[in-house]
Amino acid sequence: MPKDSLTVIDNRTGKQYELPIQDGTIHATDLRQIQLAPDDHGLLSYDPAFMNTAACRSAISFIDGDKGILRYRGYPIEQLAEQSTFLETAYLLLHGELPSASELDRWVFDITHHTIIHENIKKFIDGFHHDAHPMGVFVSTVAALSTFYPEAKHIEDERSRRDQIFRLIAKAPTLAAFAHRHTVGMPYAYPDNDLSYTGNFLNMMFKATEVKYTPHPVLEKALDILFILHADHEQNASTSAMRGVGSAHADPYSAMAAAAAALYGPLHGGANEQVLRMLHEIGSKDNIPAYIQRVKNGEVRLMGFGHRIYKNYDPRATIIKQTADQVFDLTGKNPVIDIALELERIALQDDYFVSRKLYPNVDFYSGIIYEAMKFPIDMFPVLFAIGRTPGWLAQWQEMLLDKEQKIARPRQVYIGSPLRDYAPIEKR
Ligand code: ACO
């Protein structure tokens, strides 16, 4: 009769141990009993970059990286992108179930009525240099919000958590749009509560002299789909930052600023910006083979390719490609799409990429749509952050309510100097 356990023999001592297996994992603390001497701490597992360590049990996102599957709360990403809205998906991520019609109305009302930011935040944004990267502005202003809502520290209070969740989802687009308008020197456009979440974001970004801004429904829908695709992605770098900082019981604004800072990195959410810079640098299909050679020589990375978990096509990239066609019908084709498609075609035939299972990820095509919609390139990571906000908050709340969680505190293997005596400066 097979047992759900792992038998380990420590060849240093000849002792045998039986470690229980649960949900395909062993508990790392079970290794501690494997000791050389009673006062020894016991065996540690060493896993830089968390290549093979589950840090939590989560019921939010499911990914099968080999099959290219992504689900939120059990629902396939394809169905949500086609049939849901971003705010409904946000509700799903945070509550675990799709809302009824009345629950959705209430939820949309509550988010819509938290979109305005305190006037002092505007002054704070004014203080940034004219060419400040909007993601730097976003990270800082999200952190600054914590000083406006000191009650957010009461993370054990369900009502307080709920209010901060409304505020963060509602104010993320306002902060993002204001960051943009500051850098281009345009007056801030205030939220318009008559519009949808995504339509209002387009209003705050692009409203010029018209009395009332009317978003184009095709662009509004396309951006809403992009937000849905970015809404959660289990334990990625920014979500781990959110959980890690949140585990110290920091308020959610401070934790989300940390998450957004992690997202800013070019290996994570900053990749969409780098993809567009790369495509512009390549400039024409003729230059692709030489660029691929530079990638294979290790001089540059093919941005928007590769993923820690997906070793097959990223399902979000498939949906984005379809959405791009709808946007281009309206805006005209972004010429870099031809370079991207050819780059993908060549890369997917090349043994370097095939053998390493490097496929386009969500960032490879998203920026091409954003650019066609007239978003400046440096806004791309900020768009990612708006979409990821409900996911960060759902993961943060799940972590707080999980009785198994404590302050996140990895171990280390010390490789520094052994004990030595301090020498006065004249004797060094
Ligand atoms: N271009 C060229 N080679 C690559 C790329 C790439 N984009 N990605 C991985 N490789 C190669 C590595 O050089 C390595 O080769 P080696 O075995 O010969 O050393 C192999 O593939 C494995 O790569 P790792 O870096 O070990 O994979 P890891 O899981 O640590 O990295 C990451 C994943 C960071 C996404 C990586 O693929 C990358 O840098 N991609 C480009 C940036 C990007 O698109 N990031 C967005 C990710 S999706 C997201 O965050 C939303």
Side-chain angles (χ1 to χ4, degrees), residues 267-268 295 301-302 304-306 308 352 356 358 361 363 384:
L267 296 187
H268 190 14
V295 173
R301 284 210 157 191
L302 187 54
F305 259 68
R308 173 62 60 79
Y352 177 93
R356 290 172 176 78
L358 299 172
N361 58 52
D363 287 327
F384 194 148

Side-chain angles (χ1 to χ4, degrees), residues 79-117:
Q79 289 182 20
L80 293 168
E82 197 181 326
Q83 298 175 57
S84 185
T85 61
F86 176 63
L87 282 192
E88 185 187 58
T89 299
Y91 183 102
L92 171 69
L93 289 169
L94 279 147
H95 297 85
E97 297 297 334
L98 285 167
S100 67
S102 61
E103 285 167 337
L104 182 60
D105 284 351
R106 182 74 222 176
W107 172 248
V108 171
F109 179 91
D110 284 333
I111 303 283
T112 307
H113 288 82
H114 281 91
T115 48
I116 286 181
I117 54 173

Side-chain angles (χ1 to χ4, degrees), residues 132-425:
H133 194 292
M135 193 62 172
V137 179
F138 183 81
V139 168
S140 317
T141 46
V142 168
L145 281 183
S146 83
T147 66
F148 289 76
Y149 304 107
E151 74 276 15
K153 288 187 173 61
H154 301 298
I155 47 125
E156 71 296 339
D157 178 352
E158 189 182 348
R159 205 193 148 104
S160 168
R161 283 202 307 271
R162 195 201 59 183
D163 289 348
Q164 316 322 320
I165 287 170
F166 289 150
R167 287 182 177 134
L168 274 161
I169 296 175
K171 293 182 203 306
T174 316
L175 297 178
F178 281 23
H180 161 68
R181 292 181 81 103
H182 172 69
T183 58
V184 292
M186 285 175 79
Y188 303 119
Y190 280 71
D192 178 347
N193 288 355
D194 293 342
L195 300 175
S196 73
Y197 181 87
T198 308
N200 174 47
F201 175 56
L202 290 169
N203 158 62
M204 292 188 291
M205 278 292 299
F206 298 121
K207 184 171 190 282
T209 53
E210 64 270 48
V211 177
K212 192 166 176 72
Y213 177 89
T214 311
H216 195 290
V218 170
L219 301 186
E220 188 180 358
K221 179 68 191 156
L223 190 57
D224 206 64
I225 292 174
L226 283 156
F227 285 158
I228 292 173
L229 299 182
H230 287 89
D232 195 53
H233 213 235
E234 51 123 293
Q235 307 311 313
N236 55 82
S238 56
T239 300
S240 300
M242 183 89 196
R243 280 179 173 260
V245 175
S247 79
H249 291 184
D251 68 81
Y253 301 98
S254 304
M256 192 171 123
L263 189 75
Y264 194 2
L267 296 187
H268 190 14
N272 54 14
E273 180 179 350
Q274 300 308 324
V275 169
L276 260 286
R277 297 196 192 286
M278 174 187 79
L279 295 175
H280 286 295
E281 184 192 332
I282 295 173
S284 104
K285 284 200 229 174
D286 299 341
N287 299 331
I288 292 175
Y291 198 86
I292 296 263
Q293 196 51 52
R294 286 181 65 203
V295 173
K296 289 160 67 172
N297 293 346
E299 292 168 39
V300 283
R301 284 210 157 191
L302 187 54
M303 297 311 285
F305 259 68
H307 199 274
R308 173 62 60 79
I309 306 291
Y310 292 120
K311 300 301 169 198
N312 194 326
Y313 217 92
D314 181 336
R316 301 169 299 174
T318 313
I319 302 168
I320 289 183
K321 266 168 103 174
Q322 293 154 5
T323 310
D325 292 335
Q326 290 149 22
V327 171
F328 295 161
D329 283 345
L330 184 75
T331 61
K333 196 163 79 167
N334 184 342
V336 294
I337 185 81
D338 291 332
I339 302 176
L341 288 168
E342 183 64 3
L343 201 52
E344 178 188 333
R345 192 188 67 77
I346 294 180
L348 294 186
Q349 289 176 357
D350 191 305
D351 187 56
Y352 177 93
F353 299 91
V354 175
S355 63
R356 290 172 176 78
K357 299 189 176 168
L358 299 172
Y359 291 89
N361 58 52
V362 68
D363 287 327
F364 193 64
Y365 288 105
S366 62
I368 300 175
I369 308 186
Y370 296 146
E371 193 174 56
M373 294 171 87
K374 303 275 182 282
F375 284 103
I377 292 181
D378 57 9
M379 275 299 284
F380 297 176
V382 187
L383 296 170
F384 194 148
I386 297 173
R388 185 54 55 87
T389 296
W392 285 331
L393 292 166
Q395 299 271 353
W396 166 73
Q397 181 149 266
E398 183 179 64
M399 179 271 305
L400 289 176
L401 298 178
D402 181 346
K403 298 261 182 298
E404 282 189 315
Q405 291 294 336
K406 290 165 174 275
I407 186 167
R409 205 312 186 176
R411 303 295 304 234
Q412 66 163 14
V413 179
Y414 179 69
I415 56 163
S417 171
L419 177 66
R420 48 184 170 163
D421 287 324
Y422 179 85
I425 197 157

